[in-house]
Tab-separated table of all heavy atoms in Angstrom:
chain	number	residue	atom	x	y	z
Z	95	MET	N	28.484	-0.260	-34.055
Z	95	MET	CA	27.824	-1.104	-35.111
Z	95	MET	C	27.357	-0.320	-36.305
Z	95	MET	O	27.045	0.862	-36.114
Z	95	MET	CB	26.654	-1.952	-34.544
Z	95	MET	CG	25.538	-1.086	-33.930
Z	95	MET	SD	24.364	-2.052	-33.029
Z	95	MET	CE	25.365	-2.504	-31.559
Z	96	PRO	N	27.306	-0.875	-37.425
Z	96	PRO	CA	26.921	-0.112	-38.645
Z	96	PRO	C	25.361	0.010	-38.677
Z	96	PRO	O	24.710	-0.694	-37.951
Z	96	PRO	CB	27.429	-0.949	-39.801
Z	96	PRO	CG	27.521	-2.352	-39.210
Z	96	PRO	CD	27.876	-2.192	-37.812
Z	97	LYS	N	24.847	0.831	-39.525
Z	97	LYS	CA	23.416	1.016	-39.676
Z	97	LYS	C	22.953	-0.044	-40.666
Z	97	LYS	O	23.715	-0.678	-41.389
Z	97	LYS	CB	23.125	2.425	-40.156
Z	97	LYS	CG	23.457	3.508	-39.160
Z	97	LYS	CD	23.113	4.882	-39.695
Z	97	LYS	CE	23.512	5.931	-38.709
Z	97	LYS	NZ	23.163	7.331	-39.234
Z	98	ASP	N	21.646	-0.199	-40.720
Z	98	ASP	CA	20.979	-1.062	-41.713
Z	98	ASP	C	21.461	-2.488	-41.584
Z	98	ASP	O	21.991	-3.070	-42.613
Z	98	ASP	CB	21.098	-0.527	-43.105
Z	98	ASP	CG	20.629	0.923	-43.288
Z	98	ASP	OD1	19.520	1.151	-42.783
Z	98	ASP	OD2	21.248	1.740	-43.920
Z	99	LEU	N	21.410	-3.040	-40.435
Z	99	LEU	CA	21.869	-4.431	-40.228
Z	99	LEU	C	20.842	-5.445	-40.779
Z	99	LEU	O	19.608	-5.194	-40.664
Z	99	LEU	CB	22.095	-4.752	-38.800
Z	99	LEU	CG	23.218	-3.977	-38.090
Z	99	LEU	CD1	23.133	-4.155	-36.524
Z	99	LEU	CD2	24.578	-4.500	-38.541
Z	100	PRO	N	21.301	-6.565	-41.411
Z	100	PRO	CA	20.319	-7.517	-41.896
Z	100	PRO	C	19.657	-8.261	-40.722
Z	100	PRO	O	20.265	-8.398	-39.635
Z	100	PRO	CB	21.241	-8.444	-42.702
Z	100	PRO	CG	22.552	-8.331	-42.128
Z	100	PRO	CD	22.685	-6.875	-41.653
Z	101	SER	N	18.490	-8.758	-40.941
Z	101	SER	CA	17.736	-9.490	-39.903
Z	101	SER	C	18.088	-10.961	-39.854
Z	101	SER	O	18.270	-11.597	-40.902
Z	101	SER	CB	16.234	-9.300	-40.110
Z	101	SER	OG	15.856	-8.014	-39.988
Z	102	LYS	N	18.188	-11.503	-38.629
Z	102	LYS	CA	18.419	-12.957	-38.467
Z	102	LYS	C	17.597	-13.437	-37.287
Z	102	LYS	O	17.026	-12.674	-36.525
Z	102	LYS	CB	19.894	-13.251	-38.263
Z	102	LYS	CG	20.725	-13.180	-39.447
Z	102	LYS	CD	22.167	-13.659	-39.193
Z	102	LYS	CE	23.018	-13.728	-40.449
Z	102	LYS	NZ	24.367	-14.295	-40.179
Z	103	ASN	N	17.556	-14.815	-37.117
Z	103	ASN	CA	17.000	-15.410	-35.934
Z	103	ASN	C	18.093	-15.964	-35.124
Z	103	ASN	O	19.125	-16.379	-35.664
Z	103	ASN	CB	16.091	-16.523	-36.373
Z	103	ASN	CG	15.313	-17.172	-35.213
Z	103	ASN	OD1	15.852	-17.847	-34.393
Z	103	ASN	ND2	14.035	-16.839	-35.176
Z	104	PHE	N	17.976	-15.956	-33.778
Z	104	PHE	CA	19.119	-16.425	-33.019
Z	104	PHE	C	19.428	-17.896	-33.271
Z	104	PHE	O	20.598	-18.317	-33.182
Z	104	PHE	CB	18.775	-16.300	-31.501
Z	104	PHE	CG	20.043	-16.394	-30.615
Z	104	PHE	CD1	20.793	-15.231	-30.416
Z	104	PHE	CD2	20.515	-17.537	-30.068
Z	104	PHE	CE1	21.930	-15.290	-29.613
Z	104	PHE	CE2	21.660	-17.687	-29.373
Z	104	PHE	CZ	22.414	-16.489	-29.108
Z	105	HIS	N	18.479	-18.688	-33.667
Z	105	HIS	CA	18.781	-20.102	-34.006
Z	105	HIS	C	19.671	-20.257	-35.224
Z	105	HIS	O	20.230	-21.347	-35.420
Z	105	HIS	CB	17.438	-20.889	-34.253
Z	105	HIS	CG	16.674	-21.123	-33.048
Z	105	HIS	ND1	15.829	-20.159	-32.405
Z	105	HIS	CD2	16.565	-22.210	-32.233
Z	105	HIS	CE1	15.270	-20.687	-31.341
Z	105	HIS	NE2	15.713	-21.884	-31.210
Z	106	ASP	N	19.897	-19.221	-35.947
Z	106	ASP	CA	20.877	-19.284	-37.058
Z	106	ASP	C	22.296	-19.529	-36.546
Z	106	ASP	O	23.175	-19.922	-37.365
Z	106	ASP	CB	20.870	-17.888	-37.818
Z	106	ASP	CG	19.555	-17.687	-38.567
Z	106	ASP	OD1	18.873	-18.687	-38.809
Z	106	ASP	OD2	19.260	-16.499	-38.882
Z	107	ILE	N	22.508	-19.353	-35.208
Z	107	ILE	CA	23.858	-19.607	-34.662
Z	107	ILE	C	24.275	-21.141	-34.863
Z	107	ILE	O	25.425	-21.415	-34.978
Z	107	ILE	CB	23.916	-19.196	-33.267
Z	107	ILE	CG1	25.382	-19.070	-32.831
Z	107	ILE	CG2	23.162	-20.207	-32.353
Z	107	ILE	CD1	25.535	-18.436	-31.433
Z	108	PHE	N	23.293	-21.975	-35.015
Z	108	PHE	CA	23.565	-23.408	-35.172
Z	108	PHE	C	24.190	-23.719	-36.559
Z	108	PHE	O	24.764	-24.769	-36.825
Z	108	PHE	CB	22.344	-24.255	-34.953
Z	108	PHE	CG	21.913	-24.337	-33.486
Z	108	PHE	CD1	20.650	-23.814	-33.171
Z	108	PHE	CD2	22.664	-24.848	-32.527
Z	108	PHE	CE1	20.189	-23.890	-31.845
Z	108	PHE	CE2	22.280	-24.887	-31.251
Z	108	PHE	CZ	21.000	-24.455	-30.902
Z	109	TYR	N	24.021	-22.711	-37.481
Z	109	TYR	CA	24.574	-22.936	-38.849
Z	109	TYR	C	25.938	-22.305	-38.958
Z	109	TYR	O	26.601	-22.346	-40.001
Z	109	TYR	CB	23.601	-22.309	-39.853
Z	109	TYR	CG	22.219	-22.809	-39.808
Z	109	TYR	CD1	21.162	-22.065	-39.319
Z	109	TYR	CD2	21.979	-24.167	-40.293
Z	109	TYR	CE1	19.859	-22.648	-39.279
Z	109	TYR	CE2	20.689	-24.715	-40.276
Z	109	TYR	CZ	19.642	-23.883	-39.731
Z	109	TYR	OH	18.396	-24.464	-39.725
Z	110	GLU	N	26.409	-21.683	-37.830
Z	110	GLU	CA	27.737	-21.058	-37.917
Z	110	GLU	C	28.693	-22.092	-37.340
Z	110	GLU	O	28.565	-22.755	-36.317
Z	110	GLU	CB	27.760	-19.763	-37.006
Z	110	GLU	CG	26.790	-18.718	-37.541
Z	110	GLU	CD	27.141	-18.145	-38.842
Z	110	GLU	OE1	28.321	-18.160	-39.229
Z	110	GLU	OE2	26.203	-17.655	-39.522
Z	111	GLU	N	29.933	-22.167	-37.938
Z	111	GLU	CA	30.895	-23.111	-37.602
Z	111	GLU	C	31.479	-22.855	-36.163
Z	111	GLU	O	31.728	-23.816	-35.383
Z	111	GLU	CB	32.112	-23.026	-38.604
Z	111	GLU	CG	33.200	-24.023	-38.301
Z	111	GLU	CD	34.279	-23.992	-39.335
Z	111	GLU	OE1	34.089	-23.374	-40.388
Z	111	GLU	OE2	35.283	-24.650	-39.116
Z	112	ASP	N	31.604	-21.550	-35.790
Z	112	ASP	CA	32.196	-21.271	-34.476
Z	112	ASP	C	31.234	-20.701	-33.531
Z	112	ASP	O	31.590	-19.940	-32.553
Z	112	ASP	CB	33.308	-20.228	-34.711
Z	112	ASP	CG	34.441	-20.784	-35.576
Z	112	ASP	OD1	34.791	-21.942	-35.444
Z	112	ASP	OD2	34.957	-20.024	-36.449
Side-chain angles (χ1 to χ4, degrees):
M95 60 191 69
K97 297 181 180 179
D98 303 318
L99 292 168
S101 296
K102 284 189 176 182
N103 187 289
F104 197 88
H105 286 81
D106 292 339
I107 198 168
F108 290 118
Y109 302 108
E110 301 292 333
E111 183 177 350
D112 297 321

